[in-house]
mmCIF file of all heavy atoms in Angstrom:
data_model
loop_
_atom_site.group_PDB
_atom_site.id
_atom_site.type_symbol
_atom_site.label_atom_id
_atom_site.label_comp_id
_atom_site.label_asym_id
_atom_site.label_seq_id
_atom_site.Cartn_x
_atom_site.Cartn_y
_atom_site.Cartn_z
ATOM 1 N N TYR A 98 2.629 -5.195 9.220
ATOM 2 C CA TYR A 98 1.554 -5.847 9.964
ATOM 3 C C TYR A 98 2.069 -6.975 10.868
ATOM 4 O O TYR A 98 1.802 -6.955 12.075
ATOM 5 C CB TYR A 98 0.466 -6.364 9.016
ATOM 6 C CG TYR A 98 -0.514 -5.300 8.566
ATOM 7 C CD1 TYR A 98 -0.435 -4.745 7.302
ATOM 8 C CD2 TYR A 98 -1.529 -4.867 9.404
ATOM 9 C CE1 TYR A 98 -1.337 -3.776 6.882
ATOM 10 C CE2 TYR A 98 -2.437 -3.903 9.000
ATOM 11 C CZ TYR A 98 -2.343 -3.361 7.733
ATOM 12 O OH TYR A 98 -3.239 -2.404 7.334
ATOM 13 N N PRO A 99 2.798 -7.970 10.339
ATOM 14 C CA PRO A 99 3.299 -9.000 11.257
ATOM 15 C C PRO A 99 4.335 -8.459 12.239
ATOM 16 O O PRO A 99 4.434 -8.943 13.370
ATOM 17 C CB PRO A 99 3.913 -10.065 10.351
ATOM 18 C CG PRO A 99 3.807 -9.582 8.966
ATOM 19 C CD PRO A 99 3.074 -8.292 8.950
ATOM 20 N N GLY A 100 5.089 -7.439 11.830
ATOM 21 C CA GLY A 100 6.065 -6.846 12.747
ATOM 22 C C GLY A 100 5.406 -6.257 13.977
ATOM 23 O O GLY A 100 5.868 -6.459 15.111
ATOM 24 N N VAL A 101 4.322 -5.526 13.770
ATOM 25 C CA VAL A 101 3.577 -4.951 14.897
ATOM 26 C C VAL A 101 2.985 -6.069 15.743
ATOM 27 O O VAL A 101 3.022 -6.012 16.985
ATOM 28 C CB VAL A 101 2.481 -3.981 14.397
ATOM 29 C CG1 VAL A 101 1.548 -3.575 15.528
ATOM 30 C CG2 VAL A 101 3.115 -2.760 13.754
ATOM 31 N N TYR A 102 2.440 -7.095 15.095
ATOM 32 C CA TYR A 102 1.869 -8.224 15.842
ATOM 33 C C TYR A 102 2.922 -8.845 16.755
ATOM 34 O O TYR A 102 2.679 -9.062 17.946
ATOM 35 C CB TYR A 102 1.309 -9.286 14.884
ATOM 36 C CG TYR A 102 0.994 -10.566 15.622
ATOM 37 C CD1 TYR A 102 -0.175 -10.696 16.354
ATOM 38 C CD2 TYR A 102 1.893 -11.636 15.621
ATOM 39 C CE1 TYR A 102 -0.446 -11.852 17.060
ATOM 40 C CE2 TYR A 102 1.628 -12.789 16.331
ATOM 41 C CZ TYR A 102 0.462 -12.895 17.045
ATOM 42 O OH TYR A 102 0.204 -14.044 17.764
ATOM 43 N N TRP A 103 4.101 -9.147 16.212
ATOM 44 C CA TRP A 103 5.139 -9.808 17.005
ATOM 45 C C TRP A 103 5.706 -8.876 18.064
ATOM 46 O O TRP A 103 6.056 -9.325 19.170
ATOM 47 C CB TRP A 103 6.232 -10.391 16.109
ATOM 48 C CG TRP A 103 5.753 -11.660 15.474
ATOM 49 C CD1 TRP A 103 5.320 -11.831 14.192
ATOM 50 C CD2 TRP A 103 5.616 -12.934 16.113
ATOM 51 N NE1 TRP A 103 4.920 -13.127 13.993
ATOM 52 C CE2 TRP A 103 5.091 -13.830 15.152
ATOM 53 C CE3 TRP A 103 5.870 -13.402 17.391
ATOM 54 C CZ2 TRP A 103 4.835 -15.170 15.445
ATOM 55 C CZ3 TRP A 103 5.617 -14.741 17.681
ATOM 56 C CH2 TRP A 103 5.102 -15.602 16.713
ATOM 57 N N PHE A 104 5.794 -7.598 17.784
ATOM 58 C CA PHE A 104 6.230 -6.636 18.802
ATOM 59 C C PHE A 104 5.271 -6.678 19.990
ATOM 60 O O PHE A 104 5.688 -6.762 21.152
ATOM 61 C CB PHE A 104 6.295 -5.216 18.221
ATOM 62 C CG PHE A 104 6.474 -4.163 19.268
ATOM 63 C CD1 PHE A 104 7.721 -3.932 19.833
ATOM 64 C CD2 PHE A 104 5.391 -3.403 19.704
ATOM 65 C CE1 PHE A 104 7.886 -2.967 20.816
ATOM 66 C CE2 PHE A 104 5.554 -2.440 20.688
ATOM 67 C CZ PHE A 104 6.796 -2.218 21.241
ATOM 68 N N GLU A 105 3.981 -6.598 19.694
ATOM 69 C CA GLU A 105 2.986 -6.626 20.766
ATOM 70 C C GLU A 105 3.046 -7.939 21.527
ATOM 71 O O GLU A 105 2.984 -7.957 22.756
ATOM 72 C CB GLU A 105 1.582 -6.426 20.191
ATOM 73 C CG GLU A 105 1.327 -5.037 19.705
ATOM 74 C CD GLU A 105 -0.062 -4.867 19.129
ATOM 75 O OE1 GLU A 105 -0.851 -5.838 19.115
ATOM 76 O OE2 GLU A 105 -0.375 -3.750 18.687
ATOM 77 N N ARG A 106 3.132 -9.013 20.819
ATOM 78 C CA ARG A 106 3.123 -10.332 21.445
ATOM 79 C C ARG A 106 4.331 -10.534 22.359
ATOM 80 O O ARG A 106 4.209 -11.100 23.441
ATOM 81 C CB ARG A 106 3.093 -11.405 20.369
ATOM 82 C CG ARG A 106 3.016 -12.789 20.943
ATOM 83 C CD ARG A 106 2.975 -13.820 19.830
ATOM 84 N NE ARG A 106 2.859 -15.112 20.430
ATOM 85 C CZ ARG A 106 1.817 -15.904 20.312
ATOM 86 N NH1 ARG A 106 0.799 -15.527 19.597
ATOM 87 N NH2 ARG A 106 1.793 -17.069 20.912
ATOM 88 N N LEU A 107 5.490 -10.066 21.919
ATOM 89 C CA LEU A 107 6.711 -10.289 22.688
ATOM 90 C C LEU A 107 6.925 -9.266 23.802
ATOM 91 O O LEU A 107 7.492 -9.604 24.849
ATOM 92 C CB LEU A 107 7.923 -10.295 21.754
ATOM 93 C CG LEU A 107 7.965 -11.432 20.737
ATOM 94 C CD1 LEU A 107 9.109 -11.232 19.768
ATOM 95 C CD2 LEU A 107 8.075 -12.783 21.441
ATOM 96 N N PHE A 108 6.475 -8.011 23.588
ATOM 97 C CA PHE A 108 6.819 -6.957 24.540
ATOM 98 C C PHE A 108 5.650 -6.350 25.302
ATOM 99 O O PHE A 108 5.850 -5.776 26.366
ATOM 100 C CB PHE A 108 7.590 -5.841 23.828
ATOM 101 C CG PHE A 108 8.881 -6.324 23.234
ATOM 102 C CD1 PHE A 108 9.026 -6.433 21.862
ATOM 103 C CD2 PHE A 108 9.940 -6.700 24.041
ATOM 104 C CE1 PHE A 108 10.207 -6.887 21.302
ATOM 105 C CE2 PHE A 108 11.128 -7.158 23.505
ATOM 106 C CZ PHE A 108 11.262 -7.250 22.131
ATOM 107 N N LEU A 109 4.446 -6.437 24.786
ATOM 108 C CA LEU A 109 3.325 -5.792 25.454
ATOM 109 C C LEU A 109 2.424 -6.752 26.221
ATOM 110 O O LEU A 109 2.009 -6.466 27.329
ATOM 111 C CB LEU A 109 2.473 -5.007 24.442
ATOM 112 C CG LEU A 109 3.124 -3.788 23.818
ATOM 113 C CD1 LEU A 109 2.141 -3.097 22.900
ATOM 114 C CD2 LEU A 109 3.636 -2.822 24.874
ATOM 115 N N TRP A 110 2.063 -7.842 25.594
ATOM 116 C CA TRP A 110 1.072 -8.737 26.191
ATOM 117 C C TRP A 110 1.770 -9.975 26.739
ATOM 118 O O TRP A 110 2.412 -10.699 26.014
ATOM 119 C CB TRP A 110 0.013 -9.149 25.180
ATOM 120 C CG TRP A 110 -0.447 -8.020 24.312
ATOM 121 C CD1 TRP A 110 -0.482 -8.000 22.960
ATOM 122 C CD2 TRP A 110 -0.925 -6.736 24.721
ATOM 123 N NE1 TRP A 110 -0.935 -6.798 22.501
ATOM 124 C CE2 TRP A 110 -1.215 -6.000 23.564
ATOM 125 C CE3 TRP A 110 -1.120 -6.129 25.953
ATOM 126 C CZ2 TRP A 110 -1.714 -4.700 23.599
ATOM 127 C CZ3 TRP A 110 -1.598 -4.827 25.985
ATOM 128 C CH2 TRP A 110 -1.898 -4.135 24.826
ATOM 129 N N GLN A 111 1.609 -10.202 28.002
ATOM 130 C CA GLN A 111 2.219 -11.351 28.648
ATOM 131 C C GLN A 111 1.133 -12.388 28.954
ATOM 132 O O GLN A 111 0.822 -12.665 30.101
ATOM 133 C CB GLN A 111 2.932 -10.924 29.944
ATOM 134 C CG GLN A 111 3.962 -9.837 29.744
ATOM 135 C CD GLN A 111 5.059 -10.249 28.766
ATOM 136 O OE1 GLN A 111 5.478 -11.400 28.752
ATOM 137 N NE2 GLN A 111 5.499 -9.319 27.937
ATOM 138 N N ASP A 112 0.576 -12.969 27.929
ATOM 139 C CA ASP A 112 -0.492 -13.953 28.071
ATOM 140 C C ASP A 112 0.109 -15.347 28.133
ATOM 141 O O ASP A 112 0.645 -15.846 27.141
ATOM 142 C CB ASP A 112 -1.456 -13.845 26.890
ATOM 143 C CG ASP A 112 -2.624 -14.793 26.990
ATOM 144 O OD1 ASP A 112 -2.772 -15.480 28.025
ATOM 145 O OD2 ASP A 112 -3.408 -14.855 26.026
ATOM 146 N N PRO A 113 0.012 -16.031 29.287
ATOM 147 C CA PRO A 113 0.590 -17.373 29.392
ATOM 148 C C PRO A 113 -0.100 -18.388 28.468
ATOM 149 O O PRO A 113 0.522 -19.361 28.045
ATOM 150 C CB PRO A 113 0.396 -17.756 30.860
ATOM 151 C CG PRO A 113 -0.437 -16.694 31.478
ATOM 152 C CD PRO A 113 -0.570 -15.566 30.527
ATOM 153 N N GLU A 114 -1.342 -18.146 28.127
ATOM 154 C CA GLU A 114 -2.056 -19.056 27.231
ATOM 155 C C GLU A 114 -1.561 -18.942 25.790
ATOM 156 O O GLU A 114 -1.698 -19.855 24.996
ATOM 157 C CB GLU A 114 -3.560 -18.784 27.284
ATOM 158 C CG GLU A 114 -4.189 -19.034 28.637
ATOM 159 C CD GLU A 114 -4.068 -20.487 29.060
ATOM 160 O OE1 GLU A 114 -4.291 -21.389 28.220
ATOM 161 O OE2 GLU A 114 -3.743 -20.719 30.235
ATOM 162 N N ALA A 115 -0.991 -17.797 25.444
ATOM 163 C CA ALA A 115 -0.526 -17.569 24.076
ATOM 164 C C ALA A 115 0.717 -18.385 23.748
ATOM 165 O O ALA A 115 1.062 -18.538 22.581
ATOM 166 C CB ALA A 115 -0.239 -16.091 23.857
ATOM 167 N N VAL A 116 1.370 -18.911 24.758
ATOM 168 C CA VAL A 116 2.588 -19.691 24.541
ATOM 169 C C VAL A 116 2.296 -20.908 23.667
ATOM 170 O O VAL A 116 3.118 -21.318 22.854
ATOM 171 C CB VAL A 116 3.198 -20.117 25.899
ATOM 172 C CG1 VAL A 116 4.335 -21.084 25.713
ATOM 173 C CG2 VAL A 116 3.643 -18.888 26.672
ATOM 174 N N ARG A 117 1.118 -21.450 23.802
ATOM 175 C CA ARG A 117 0.779 -22.672 23.062
ATOM 176 C C ARG A 117 0.622 -22.451 21.568
ATOM 177 O O ARG A 117 0.861 -23.355 20.784
ATOM 178 C CB ARG A 117 -0.501 -23.282 23.621
ATOM 179 C CG ARG A 117 -0.322 -23.811 25.024
ATOM 180 C CD ARG A 117 -1.533 -24.554 25.436
ATOM 181 N NE ARG A 117 -2.696 -23.672 25.337
ATOM 182 C CZ ARG A 117 -3.756 -23.772 26.076
ATOM 183 N NH1 ARG A 117 -3.847 -24.727 26.958
ATOM 184 N NH2 ARG A 117 -4.755 -22.940 25.933
ATOM 185 N N ASN A 118 0.208 -21.280 21.132
ATOM 186 C CA ASN A 118 -0.055 -21.119 19.696
ATOM 187 C C ASN A 118 1.030 -20.340 18.964
ATOM 188 O O ASN A 118 0.862 -20.009 17.802
ATOM 189 C CB ASN A 118 -1.436 -20.509 19.461
ATOM 190 C CG ASN A 118 -1.487 -19.029 19.681
ATOM 191 O OD1 ASN A 118 -0.613 -18.448 20.306
ATOM 192 N ND2 ASN A 118 -2.528 -18.405 19.177
ATOM 193 N N TRP A 119 2.156 -20.037 19.602
ATOM 194 C CA TRP A 119 3.188 -19.272 18.901
ATOM 195 C C TRP A 119 3.732 -20.007 17.690
ATOM 196 O O TRP A 119 4.021 -19.362 16.683
ATOM 197 C CB TRP A 119 4.294 -18.782 19.842
ATOM 198 C CG TRP A 119 5.307 -19.818 20.227
ATOM 199 C CD1 TRP A 119 5.318 -20.559 21.365
ATOM 200 C CD2 TRP A 119 6.441 -20.236 19.475
ATOM 201 N NE1 TRP A 119 6.384 -21.421 21.359
ATOM 202 C CE2 TRP A 119 7.096 -21.241 20.206
ATOM 203 C CE3 TRP A 119 6.967 -19.867 18.242
ATOM 204 C CZ2 TRP A 119 8.240 -21.876 19.748
ATOM 205 C CZ3 TRP A 119 8.111 -20.510 17.794
ATOM 206 C CH2 TRP A 119 8.735 -21.495 18.550
ATOM 207 N N PRO A 120 3.885 -21.357 17.698
ATOM 208 C CA PRO A 120 4.373 -22.001 16.469
ATOM 209 C C PRO A 120 3.407 -21.802 15.293
ATOM 210 O O PRO A 120 3.843 -21.592 14.154
ATOM 211 C CB PRO A 120 4.486 -23.476 16.842
ATOM 212 C CG PRO A 120 4.631 -23.487 18.330
ATOM 213 C CD PRO A 120 3.796 -22.325 18.797
ATOM 214 N N PHE A 121 2.116 -21.841 15.573
ATOM 215 C CA PHE A 121 1.124 -21.629 14.521
ATOM 216 C C PHE A 121 1.214 -20.206 13.970
ATOM 217 O O PHE A 121 1.199 -20.000 12.756
ATOM 218 C CB PHE A 121 -0.284 -21.910 15.056
ATOM 219 C CG PHE A 121 -1.364 -21.611 14.064
ATOM 220 C CD1 PHE A 121 -1.556 -22.415 12.952
ATOM 221 C CD2 PHE A 121 -2.190 -20.507 14.235
ATOM 222 C CE1 PHE A 121 -2.555 -22.137 12.025
ATOM 223 C CE2 PHE A 121 -3.192 -20.225 13.317
ATOM 224 C CZ PHE A 121 -3.367 -21.034 12.217
ATOM 225 N N MET A 122 1.331 -19.227 14.862
ATOM 226 C CA MET A 122 1.420 -17.841 14.414
ATOM 227 C C MET A 122 2.732 -17.591 13.671
ATOM 228 O O MET A 122 2.754 -16.839 12.696
ATOM 229 C CB MET A 122 1.279 -16.881 15.603
ATOM 230 C CG MET A 122 -0.104 -16.933 16.246
ATOM 231 S SD MET A 122 -1.468 -16.717 15.065
ATOM 232 C CE MET A 122 -1.202 -15.044 14.539
ATOM 233 N N LEU A 123 3.807 -18.241 14.083
ATOM 234 C CA LEU A 123 5.074 -18.122 13.366
ATOM 235 C C LEU A 123 4.945 -18.729 11.972
ATOM 236 O O LEU A 123 5.414 -18.150 10.992
ATOM 237 C CB LEU A 123 6.209 -18.787 14.148
ATOM 238 C CG LEU A 123 7.590 -18.701 13.517
ATOM 239 C CD1 LEU A 123 8.021 -17.245 13.363
ATOM 240 C CD2 LEU A 123 8.599 -19.476 14.354
ATOM 241 N N LEU A 124 4.277 -19.877 11.878
ATOM 242 C CA LEU A 124 4.048 -20.513 10.577
ATOM 243 C C LEU A 124 3.216 -19.599 9.675
ATOM 244 O O LEU A 124 3.543 -19.429 8.487
ATOM 245 C CB LEU A 124 3.361 -21.869 10.749
ATOM 246 C CG LEU A 124 2.999 -22.597 9.458
ATOM 247 C CD1 LEU A 124 4.264 -22.973 8.680
ATOM 248 C CD2 LEU A 124 2.172 -23.829 9.763
ATOM 249 N N LEU A 125 2.160 -19.003 10.213
ATOM 250 C CA LEU A 125 1.347 -18.071 9.420
ATOM 251 C C LEU A 125 2.177 -16.882 8.946
ATOM 252 O O LEU A 125 2.036 -16.443 7.800
ATOM 253 C CB LEU A 125 0.155 -17.558 10.233
ATOM 254 C CG LEU A 125 -1.042 -18.482 10.365
ATOM 255 C CD1 LEU A 125 -2.137 -17.798 11.185
ATOM 256 C CD2 LEU A 125 -1.580 -18.898 9.023
ATOM 257 N N THR A 126 3.035 -16.374 9.806
ATOM 258 C CA THR A 126 3.889 -15.245 9.429
ATOM 259 C C THR A 126 4.832 -15.644 8.298
ATOM 260 O O THR A 126 4.991 -14.905 7.320
ATOM 261 C CB THR A 126 4.699 -14.753 10.647
ATOM 262 O OG1 THR A 126 3.793 -14.380 11.694
ATOM 263 C CG2 THR A 126 5.573 -13.570 10.285
ATOM 264 N N ILE A 127 5.442 -16.808 8.408
ATOM 265 C CA ILE A 127 6.360 -17.288 7.369
ATOM 266 C C ILE A 127 5.609 -17.521 6.059
ATOM 267 O O ILE A 127 6.090 -17.138 4.986
ATOM 268 C CB ILE A 127 7.091 -18.566 7.834
ATOM 269 C CG1 ILE A 127 8.065 -18.222 8.968
ATOM 270 C CG2 ILE A 127 7.820 -19.241 6.681
ATOM 271 C CD1 ILE A 127 8.621 -19.417 9.700
ATOM 272 N N LEU A 128 4.429 -18.130 6.138
ATOM 273 C CA LEU A 128 3.630 -18.353 4.928
ATOM 274 C C LEU A 128 3.242 -17.027 4.277
ATOM 275 O O LEU A 128 3.293 -16.886 3.050
ATOM 276 C CB LEU A 128 2.384 -19.178 5.245
ATOM 277 C CG LEU A 128 2.625 -20.650 5.556
ATOM 278 C CD1 LEU A 128 1.325 -21.312 6.024
ATOM 279 C CD2 LEU A 128 3.194 -21.378 4.356
ATOM 280 N N TRP A 129 2.836 -16.052 5.078
ATOM 281 C CA TRP A 129 2.449 -14.748 4.554
ATOM 282 C C TRP A 129 3.617 -14.086 3.837
ATOM 283 O O TRP A 129 3.484 -13.635 2.701
ATOM 284 C CB TRP A 129 1.930 -13.850 5.680
ATOM 285 C CG TRP A 129 1.823 -12.419 5.289
ATOM 286 C CD1 TRP A 129 2.590 -11.389 5.741
ATOM 287 C CD2 TRP A 129 0.917 -11.845 4.335
ATOM 288 N NE1 TRP A 129 2.207 -10.212 5.144
ATOM 289 C CE2 TRP A 129 1.178 -10.461 4.271
ATOM 290 C CE3 TRP A 129 -0.097 -12.358 3.539
ATOM 291 C CZ2 TRP A 129 0.475 -9.597 3.442
ATOM 292 C CZ3 TRP A 129 -0.799 -11.491 2.704
ATOM 293 C CH2 TRP A 129 -0.513 -10.138 2.667
ATOM 294 N N LEU A 130 4.766 -14.015 4.519
ATOM 295 C CA LEU A 130 5.922 -13.356 3.915
ATOM 296 C C LEU A 130 6.391 -14.103 2.674
ATOM 297 O O LEU A 130 6.807 -13.482 1.689
ATOM 298 C CB LEU A 130 7.051 -13.218 4.944
ATOM 299 C CG LEU A 130 6.743 -12.244 6.091
ATOM 300 C CD1 LEU A 130 7.857 -12.285 7.130
ATOM 301 C CD2 LEU A 130 6.520 -10.838 5.587
ATOM 302 N N SER A 131 6.303 -15.431 2.689
ATOM 303 C CA SER A 131 6.666 -16.214 1.503
ATOM 304 C C SER A 131 5.730 -15.908 0.345
ATOM 305 O O SER A 131 6.175 -15.699 -0.783
ATOM 306 C CB SER A 131 6.624 -17.710 1.814
ATOM 307 O OG SER A 131 7.551 -18.034 2.810
ATOM 308 N N LEU A 132 4.433 -15.889 0.628
ATOM 309 C CA LEU A 132 3.454 -15.561 -0.407
ATOM 310 C C LEU A 132 3.769 -14.207 -1.025
ATOM 311 O O LEU A 132 3.832 -14.072 -2.250
ATOM 312 C CB LEU A 132 2.030 -15.545 0.167
ATOM 313 C CG LEU A 132 0.952 -14.950 -0.739
ATOM 314 C CD1 LEU A 132 0.658 -15.881 -1.900
ATOM 315 C CD2 LEU A 132 -0.302 -14.635 0.027
ATOM 316 N N VAL A 133 3.983 -13.215 -0.193
ATOM 317 C CA VAL A 133 4.208 -11.861 -0.688
ATOM 318 C C VAL A 133 5.474 -11.782 -1.529
ATOM 319 O O VAL A 133 5.446 -11.317 -2.674
ATOM 320 C CB VAL A 133 4.272 -10.853 0.484
ATOM 321 C CG1 VAL A 133 4.793 -9.507 0.024
ATOM 322 C CG2 VAL A 133 2.902 -10.706 1.124
ATOM 323 N N PHE A 134 6.591 -12.233 -0.989
ATOM 324 C CA PHE A 134 7.855 -12.023 -1.679
ATOM 325 C C PHE A 134 8.016 -12.926 -2.902
ATOM 326 O O PHE A 134 8.602 -12.506 -3.900
ATOM 327 C CB PHE A 134 9.029 -12.139 -0.707
ATOM 328 C CG PHE A 134 9.084 -10.961 0.218
ATOM 329 C CD1 PHE A 134 8.581 -11.046 1.503
ATOM 330 C CD2 PHE A 134 9.583 -9.747 -0.209
ATOM 331 C CE1 PHE A 134 8.601 -9.949 2.352
ATOM 332 C CE2 PHE A 134 9.609 -8.641 0.622
ATOM 333 C CZ PHE A 134 9.116 -8.744 1.913
ATOM 334 N N ILE A 135 7.465 -14.126 -2.851
ATOM 335 C CA ILE A 135 7.522 -14.998 -4.037
ATOM 336 C C ILE A 135 6.562 -14.475 -5.099
ATOM 337 O O ILE A 135 6.914 -14.356 -6.269
ATOM 338 C CB ILE A 135 7.229 -16.461 -3.662
ATOM 339 C CG1 ILE A 135 8.388 -17.023 -2.829
ATOM 340 C CG2 ILE A 135 6.990 -17.298 -4.910
ATOM 341 C CD1 ILE A 135 8.118 -18.382 -2.220
ATOM 342 N N ALA A 136 5.331 -14.146 -4.688
ATOM 343 C CA ALA A 136 4.336 -13.685 -5.662
ATOM 344 C C ALA A 136 4.789 -12.408 -6.359
ATOM 345 O O ALA A 136 4.638 -12.279 -7.578
ATOM 346 C CB ALA A 136 2.996 -13.463 -4.976
ATOM 347 N N LEU A 137 5.338 -11.471 -5.604
ATOM 348 C CA LEU A 137 5.737 -10.205 -6.215
ATOM 349 C C LEU A 137 6.945 -10.348 -7.137
ATOM 350 O O LEU A 137 7.222 -9.450 -7.928
ATOM 351 C CB LEU A 137 6.013 -9.152 -5.142
ATOM 352 C CG LEU A 137 4.774 -8.663 -4.388
ATOM 353 C CD1 LEU A 137 5.152 -7.661 -3.321
ATOM 354 C CD2 LEU A 137 3.721 -8.093 -5.317
ATOM 355 N N SER A 138 7.626 -11.482 -7.059
ATOM 356 C CA SER A 138 8.754 -11.708 -7.972
ATOM 357 C C SER A 138 8.327 -12.424 -9.254
ATOM 358 O O SER A 138 9.114 -12.530 -10.189
ATOM 359 C CB SER A 138 9.845 -12.515 -7.263
ATOM 360 O OG SER A 138 9.404 -13.841 -7.037
ATOM 361 N N LEU A 139 7.089 -12.893 -9.310
ATOM 362 C CA LEU A 139 6.600 -13.608 -10.490
ATOM 363 C C LEU A 139 6.332 -12.642 -11.642
ATOM 364 O O LEU A 139 5.804 -11.548 -11.442
ATOM 365 C CB LEU A 139 5.319 -14.374 -10.159
ATOM 366 C CG LEU A 139 5.431 -15.475 -9.118
ATOM 367 C CD1 LEU A 139 4.056 -16.055 -8.810
ATOM 368 C CD2 LEU A 139 6.385 -16.572 -9.578
ATOM 369 N N LYS A 140 6.667 -13.076 -12.823
ATOM 370 C CA LYS A 140 6.487 -12.237 -14.011
ATOM 371 C C LYS A 140 5.020 -11.868 -14.215
ATOM 372 O O LYS A 140 4.702 -10.736 -14.553
ATOM 373 C CB LYS A 140 7.035 -12.946 -15.241
ATOM 374 C CG LYS A 140 6.855 -12.106 -16.510
ATOM 375 C CD LYS A 140 7.784 -12.501 -17.593
ATOM 376 C CE LYS A 140 7.592 -11.765 -18.880
ATOM 377 N NZ LYS A 140 7.097 -10.428 -18.847
ATOM 378 N N ARG A 141 4.132 -12.813 -13.996
ATOM 379 C CA ARG A 141 2.705 -12.540 -14.197
ATOM 380 C C ARG A 141 2.212 -11.428 -13.271
ATOM 381 O O ARG A 141 1.419 -10.571 -13.670
ATOM 382 C CB ARG A 141 1.900 -13.818 -13.967
ATOM 383 C CG ARG A 141 0.422 -13.608 -14.200
ATOM 384 C CD ARG A 141 -0.299 -14.907 -14.442
ATOM 385 N NE ARG A 141 -1.667 -14.604 -14.761
ATOM 386 C CZ ARG A 141 -2.704 -14.968 -14.018
ATOM 387 N NH1 ARG A 141 -2.519 -15.692 -12.953
ATOM 388 N NH2 ARG A 141 -3.922 -14.637 -14.364
ATOM 389 N N VAL A 142 2.700 -11.427 -12.052
ATOM 390 C CA VAL A 142 2.309 -10.385 -11.099
ATOM 391 C C VAL A 142 2.935 -9.051 -11.506
ATOM 392 O O VAL A 142 2.279 -8.009 -11.470
ATOM 393 C CB VAL A 142 2.700 -10.782 -9.666
ATOM 394 C CG1 VAL A 142 2.506 -9.637 -8.697
ATOM 395 C CG2 VAL A 142 1.891 -12.001 -9.213
ATOM 396 N N GLN A 143 4.193 -9.081 -11.898
ATOM 397 C CA GLN A 143 4.852 -7.852 -12.347
ATOM 398 C C GLN A 143 4.159 -7.290 -13.583
ATOM 399 O O GLN A 143 3.961 -6.079 -13.702
ATOM 400 C CB GLN A 143 6.327 -8.119 -12.622
ATOM 401 C CG GLN A 143 7.112 -8.421 -11.373
ATOM 402 C CD GLN A 143 8.521 -8.907 -11.654
ATOM 403 O OE1 GLN A 143 8.931 -9.020 -12.804
ATOM 404 N NE2 GLN A 143 9.261 -9.205 -10.593
ATOM 405 N N ASP A 144 3.770 -8.176 -14.509
ATOM 406 C CA ASP A 144 3.044 -7.738 -15.705
ATOM 407 C C ASP A 144 1.689 -7.125 -15.348
ATOM 408 O O ASP A 144 1.212 -6.216 -16.025
ATOM 409 C CB ASP A 144 2.839 -8.899 -16.674
ATOM 410 C CG ASP A 144 4.115 -9.304 -17.387
ATOM 411 O OD1 ASP A 144 5.112 -8.545 -17.312
ATOM 412 O OD2 ASP A 144 4.129 -10.388 -18.003
ATOM 413 N N PHE A 145 1.061 -7.634 -14.300
ATOM 414 C CA PHE A 145 -0.235 -7.117 -13.877
ATOM 415 C C PHE A 145 -0.146 -5.626 -13.545
ATOM 416 O O PHE A 145 -1.074 -4.863 -13.802
ATOM 417 C CB PHE A 145 -0.738 -7.903 -12.664
ATOM 418 C CG PHE A 145 -2.081 -7.466 -12.166
ATOM 419 C CD1 PHE A 145 -3.244 -7.861 -12.803
ATOM 420 C CD2 PHE A 145 -2.186 -6.655 -11.039
ATOM 421 C CE1 PHE A 145 -4.487 -7.462 -12.344
ATOM 422 C CE2 PHE A 145 -3.427 -6.244 -10.572
ATOM 423 C CZ PHE A 145 -4.576 -6.655 -11.225
ATOM 424 N N PHE A 146 0.987 -5.215 -12.993
ATOM 425 C CA PHE A 146 1.171 -3.818 -12.618
ATOM 426 C C PHE A 146 1.910 -2.999 -13.666
ATOM 427 O O PHE A 146 2.108 -1.805 -13.487
ATOM 428 C CB PHE A 146 1.935 -3.724 -11.288
ATOM 429 C CG PHE A 146 1.158 -4.239 -10.113
ATOM 430 C CD1 PHE A 146 1.508 -5.434 -9.510
ATOM 431 C CD2 PHE A 146 0.070 -3.548 -9.634
ATOM 432 C CE1 PHE A 146 0.799 -5.917 -8.425
ATOM 433 C CE2 PHE A 146 -0.656 -4.033 -8.549
ATOM 434 C CZ PHE A 146 -0.290 -5.222 -7.950
#
Side-chain angles (χ1 to χ4, degrees):
Y98 279 103
V101 170
Y102 168 80
W103 283 103
F104 169 78
E105 289 179 1
R106 183 179 182 114
L107 295 173
F108 299 109
L109 292 183
W110 318 127
Q111 304 301 323
D112 182 6
E114 297 298 317
V116 172
R117 293 188 303 209
N118 78 343
W119 78 263
F121 176 71
M122 294 308 294
L123 181 61
L124 177 65
L125 281 181
T126 302
I127 291 168
L128 288 173
W129 166 249
L130 292 174
S131 298
L132 168 72
V133 168
F134 288 99
I135 291 171
L137 291 178
S138 69
L139 297 175
K140 180 159 176 30
R141 182 160 185 244
V142 171
Q143 292 171 0
D144 287 348
F145 181 79
F146 293 108

